Amino acid sequence: MADNNSEILALLAESLRAADRDREENMRRFAQLTETMVNGFLRLEDRLGARIDNVATSVDHLTGRVDHLTGRVDHLTGRVDHLTERVDYLTGEVSELKTDMREVKGDVREIKVQAQETNRRLANTFEQVGQLTEQTKASDLRLSHVEEAQARQPTNAELDARLRAVEEQMRSAS
């Protein structure tokens, strides 16, 4: 029994030493695993940190670009608003010009009507002038005939002289 107890105690001591070695081995492995995991987490943290920094830099850059584009859009919006105002103004001006053109066209029509009336009256006047010219020529011709006839007729002095000559002849004949 004492041998038995000593054997059991030796086995128990051996079992405890083996358990202690296993525990130390497990602790060492656990420490290695913990160190490996910590190192992995640190590398992961470094990589993620670098990527996060890259992403942050990209976000900052893109934010700057968006701000720039927003500024450009605001500027272009202002230009569009200005151009819209100018288009509205010019549309009003075109409308006024169209109204003025309608009035001018109406005035031109009136002028054409008046010009046609004036042309008709001028044509009538020229016709009347032509007729008067013909009448004047005819009157001048008649007047020249009358003047010629009058030139061929004796004057009052000649008639008086002839009449005295005839009276003288009649007195002498009597």
Side-chain angles (χ1 to χ4, degrees):
M1 190 148 162
D3 263 347
N4 228 357
N5 277 343
S6 235
E7 253 183 61
I8 290 179
L9 276 178
L11 281 174
L12 186 56
E14 187 57 39
S15 175
L16 283 174
R17 280 192 286 268
D20 191 39
R21 281 191 304 270
D22 285 345
R23 185 181 66 77
E24 281 181 19
E25 181 64 25
N26 284 338
M27 287 299 278
R28 187 182 57 76
R29 283 185 184 166
F30 182 73
Q32 282 179 342
L33 184 60
T34 301
E35 187 179 331
T36 302
M37 287 189 65
V38 166
N39 288 338
F41 284 138
L42 289 175
R43 283 193 308 266
L44 181 62
E45 182 182 22
D46 289 343
R47 286 183 189 155
L48 287 177
R51 286 193 179 176
I52 287 172
D53 289 343
N54 287 342
V55 168
T57 302
S58 294
V59 166
D60 289 343
H61 175 73
L62 292 175
T63 301
R65 298 257 316 148
V66 166
D67 290 344
H68 175 74
L69 291 175
T70 301
R72 292 287 297 149
V73 166
D74 291 344
H75 173 75
L76 291 175
T77 300
R79 292 288 298 148
V80 166
D81 291 344
H82 173 73
L83 291 175
T84 300
E85 290 172 8
R86 291 292 298 153
V87 166
D88 291 344
Y89 170 77
L90 291 175
T91 299
E93 290 294 313
V94 166
S95 178
E96 286 182 31
L97 286 175
K98 284 181 179 179
T99 301
D100 292 348
M101 286 302 297
R102 282 189 213 106
E103 290 175 7
V104 167
K105 284 181 180 178
D107 292 347
V108 167
R109 282 189 211 103
E110 287 180 27
I111 290 170
K112 282 182 179 178
V113 168
Q114 290 174 356
Q116 289 172 347
E117 178 63 23
T118 301
N119 284 340
R120 185 189 60 75
R121 289 173 63 194
L122 279 173
N124 288 342
T125 301
F126 286 138
E127 175 129 359
Q128 288 175 355
V129 166
Q131 289 174 357
L132 288 173
T133 302
E134 288 176 16
Q135 288 175 357
T136 303
K137 284 181 182 176
S139 294
D140 285 346
L141 186 60
R142 277 183 270 150
L143 182 60
S144 71
H145 284 266
V146 168
E147 286 175 347
E148 279 180 22
Q150 280 181 350
R152 282 187 244 132
Q153 290 183 354
T155 63
N156 284 342
E158 289 175 344
L159 287 176
D160 188 41
R162 281 187 200 169
L163 185 58
R164 282 188 195 171
V166 169
E167 283 177 350
E168 189 71 35
Q169 283 175 357
M170 285 178 78
R171 269 190 237 156
S172 354
S174 30

Tab-separated table of all heavy atoms in Angstrom, residues 9 18 69 80 85 87 91 105 114-115 146 155 162 174:
chain	number	residue	atom	x	y	z
A	9	LEU	N	1.404	8.767	-5.659
A	9	LEU	CA	1.921	10.117	-5.431
A	9	LEU	C	2.922	10.463	-6.537
A	9	LEU	O	2.949	11.602	-7.001
A	9	LEU	CB	2.615	10.211	-4.074
A	9	LEU	CG	1.676	10.460	-2.915
A	9	LEU	CD1	2.463	10.487	-1.595
A	9	LEU	CD2	0.924	11.752	-3.038
A	18	ALA	N	3.473	17.367	-15.541
A	18	ALA	CA	3.070	17.360	-16.953
A	18	ALA	C	2.002	18.431	-17.178
A	18	ALA	O	2.026	19.166	-18.179
A	18	ALA	CB	2.558	15.998	-17.362
A	69	LEU	N	-16.097	73.182	-57.655
A	69	LEU	CA	-17.185	73.019	-58.625
A	69	LEU	C	-18.443	73.739	-58.166
A	69	LEU	O	-19.174	74.320	-58.981
A	69	LEU	CB	-17.462	71.530	-58.874
A	69	LEU	CG	-16.367	70.781	-59.632
A	69	LEU	CD1	-16.700	69.302	-59.699
A	69	LEU	CD2	-16.173	71.350	-61.024
A	80	VAL	N	-25.972	82.759	-65.685
A	80	VAL	CA	-27.244	82.369	-66.305
A	80	VAL	C	-28.347	83.342	-65.885
A	80	VAL	O	-29.166	83.773	-66.710
A	80	VAL	CB	-27.615	80.908	-65.946
A	80	VAL	CG1	-29.063	80.612	-66.279
A	80	VAL	CG2	-26.696	79.930	-66.681
A	85	GLU	N	-31.806	87.695	-67.464
A	85	GLU	CA	-32.301	89.071	-67.386
A	85	GLU	C	-32.082	89.786	-68.715
A	85	GLU	O	-32.964	90.503	-69.188
A	85	GLU	CB	-31.577	89.826	-66.264
A	85	GLU	CG	-31.951	89.362	-64.867
A	85	GLU	CD	-31.067	89.994	-63.795
A	85	GLU	OE1	-30.264	90.895	-64.122
A	85	GLU	OE2	-31.193	89.582	-62.629
A	87	VAL	N	-31.792	88.408	-71.689
A	87	VAL	CA	-32.712	87.826	-72.684
A	87	VAL	C	-34.113	88.402	-72.491
A	87	VAL	O	-34.786	88.762	-73.463
A	87	VAL	CB	-32.722	86.283	-72.596
A	87	VAL	CG1	-33.887	85.694	-73.353
A	87	VAL	CG2	-31.412	85.709	-73.139
A	91	THR	N	-35.891	90.524	-75.208
A	91	THR	CA	-37.185	90.071	-75.695
A	91	THR	C	-38.160	91.248	-75.708
A	91	THR	O	-38.916	91.431	-76.670
A	91	THR	CB	-37.729	88.934	-74.808
A	91	THR	OG1	-36.803	87.847	-74.858
A	91	THR	CG2	-39.083	88.459	-75.276
A	105	LYS	N	-44.392	99.837	-91.158
A	105	LYS	CA	-45.017	99.214	-92.330
A	105	LYS	C	-46.338	99.900	-92.656
A	105	LYS	O	-46.653	100.121	-93.831
A	105	LYS	CB	-45.236	97.720	-92.084
A	105	LYS	CG	-43.980	96.892	-92.200
A	105	LYS	CD	-44.277	95.419	-91.960
A	105	LYS	CE	-43.020	94.579	-92.069
A	105	LYS	NZ	-43.287	93.155	-91.802
A	114	GLN	N	-50.281	107.368	-100.788
A	114	GLN	CA	-50.144	108.786	-101.109
A	114	GLN	C	-49.283	108.967	-102.361
A	114	GLN	O	-49.586	109.830	-103.203
A	114	GLN	CB	-49.519	109.541	-99.927
A	114	GLN	CG	-50.447	109.661	-98.740
A	114	GLN	CD	-49.771	110.286	-97.526
A	114	GLN	OE1	-48.571	110.568	-97.549
A	114	GLN	NE2	-50.549	110.511	-96.468
A	115	ALA	N	-48.217	108.168	-102.490
A	115	ALA	CA	-47.355	108.257	-103.674
A	115	ALA	C	-48.137	107.874	-104.924
A	115	ALA	O	-47.997	108.521	-105.975
A	115	ALA	CB	-46.130	107.365	-103.515
A	146	VAL	N	-53.215	135.170	-137.598
A	146	VAL	CA	-53.924	136.458	-137.449
A	146	VAL	C	-52.934	137.592	-137.612
A	146	VAL	O	-53.221	138.585	-138.279
A	146	VAL	CB	-54.635	136.520	-136.079
A	146	VAL	CG1	-55.118	137.914	-135.765
A	146	VAL	CG2	-55.781	135.538	-136.043
A	155	THR	N	-52.671	149.494	-142.567
A	155	THR	CA	-52.864	150.119	-141.276
A	155	THR	C	-53.900	151.217	-141.426
A	155	THR	O	-54.290	151.592	-142.540
A	155	THR	CB	-51.552	150.721	-140.766
A	155	THR	OG1	-51.146	151.727	-141.661
A	155	THR	CG2	-50.477	149.666	-140.574
A	162	ARG	N	-55.371	156.115	-148.417
A	162	ARG	CA	-56.086	155.599	-149.595
A	162	ARG	C	-57.443	156.287	-149.735
A	162	ARG	O	-57.870	156.656	-150.830
A	162	ARG	CB	-56.288	154.079	-149.492
A	162	ARG	CG	-55.085	153.309	-149.848
A	162	ARG	CD	-55.474	151.835	-149.880
A	162	ARG	NE	-54.338	150.961	-149.755
A	162	ARG	CZ	-54.378	149.679	-149.552
A	162	ARG	NH1	-55.550	149.070	-149.390
A	162	ARG	NH2	-53.295	148.960	-149.482
A	174	SER	N	-65.055	165.111	-160.464
A	174	SER	CA	-66.318	165.798	-160.489
A	174	SER	C	-66.113	167.171	-160.871
A	174	SER	O	-66.131	168.072	-161.294
A	174	SER	CB	-67.046	165.798	-159.200
A	174	SER	OG	-66.565	165.773	-158.017
